[in-house]
Amino acid sequence: MKKYILLFVMLFALQSYAQKDKKVFELKPNQSMCMTGKGAGQDAAINPYKDGNSIAFVKNLGENVFSIRVQYQGKIFQTRELEPGVATMIPLRQGSEMYFDSKLAAKVKLEFKDGTN
């Protein structure tokens, strides 16, 4: 019985860890997804540099174009369309929100780097 409990706890921990480090996201048609900036439970990605400036590395892994929207203090600061197979860097200042908007299905890879250097 103890083995089953230990196995269950280990599987739960492994699943939680795998979800925490999610880097690839799939957007459905006509979906707008808050990637970062709104806080726990609303962000799709965890930005480990949210308490300062950071750089988002975004790559379109899908077959369709999607848009990247960055807002700061409720105002749209930047918008950019990303073609299939293309990667870009998006500077994010502390407190900004980043959204991915798609009209068609899209697959995106997202990673963050410290933006203070």
Side-chain angles (χ1 to χ4, degrees), residues 27-100:
L27 293 108
K28 297 176 183 173
N30 297 314
Q31 183 177 14
S32 180
M33 184 182 288
C34 177
M35 299 310 294
T36 189
K38 286 282 193 172
Q42 295 182 7
D43 293 346
I46 297 172
N47 182 353
Y49 309 103
K50 67 179 178 173
D51 294 331
N53 296 335
S54 61
I55 299 171
F57 291 91
V58 184
K59 183 170 184 179
N60 187 342
L61 301 175
E63 299 176 1
N64 300 307
V65 175
F66 73 93
S67 296
I68 302 167
R69 176 171 36 109
V70 179
Q71 293 183 193
Y72 183 73
Q73 296 180 344
K75 296 180 183 176
I76 296 175
F77 180 75
Q78 178 181 14
T79 58
R80 183 180 298 178
E81 284 194 346
L82 201 59
E83 297 286 332
V86 175
T88 189
M89 296 186 303
I90 306 287
L92 298 172
R93 62 196 303 193
Q94 182 179 357
S96 59
E97 302 166 8
M98 183 170 61
Y99 297 86
F100 292 164

